[in-house]
Amino acid sequence: MKRASQQEMEAMVASFKSSGLTQRDFCLRENIKLPTFSYWYRKVGAGATAVSSGFTEVSPSLPSGDLEVVYPNGVRIRGIQDLSLLELLVKL
């Protein structure tokens, strides 16, 4: 059996992080032994690319009249003037 290089395992860990699967399911899909993958995940997981949360920092220098919040259900709130209100609406 061929031994995987660190680069191959780093790529595998990055693939796992973006897969949305559990380690067990990912290992079954990729035909990897779970203990081997877990070892490499601990070893290189911190250095692998993290999945973005999808949020962007809002800077007060933006023209506040053009700000809006769009919720997943399609509700839009436009014309927000106060950035503290924007912060509260994003947390809903």
Side-chain angles (χ1 to χ4, degrees):
M1 177 179 220
K2 180 186 162 216
R3 207 167 175 189
S5 71
Q6 181 162 344
Q7 286 179 328
E8 290 171 323
M9 290 311 295
E10 286 174 352
M12 189 70 68
V13 168
S15 177
F16 160 71
K17 285 186 170 187
S18 65
S19 73
L21 298 171
T22 64
Q23 282 191 18
R24 178 179 305 264
D25 291 339
F26 182 81
C27 290
L28 286 171
R29 184 182 81 179
E30 299 295 324
N31 198 26
I32 304 169
K33 292 181 182 179
L34 180 59
T36 301
F37 180 78
S38 294
Y39 164 80
W40 279 103
Y41 182 78
R42 286 189 309 275
K43 183 172 179 170
V44 301
T49 305
V51 176
S52 172
S53 68
F55 287 99
T56 302
E57 183 177 342
V58 176
S59 171
S61 64
L62 293 173
S64 60
D66 295 333
L67 297 176
E68 71 177 316
V69 175
V70 181
Y71 292 98
N73 66 0
V75 171
R76 291 177 184 261
I77 301 175
R78 294 185 178 134
I80 300 167
Q81 300 292 322
D82 183 356
L83 290 178
S84 61
L85 175 59
L86 177 66
E87 180 181 10
L88 292 171
L89 291 170
V90 169
K91 290 180 181 179
L92 289 178

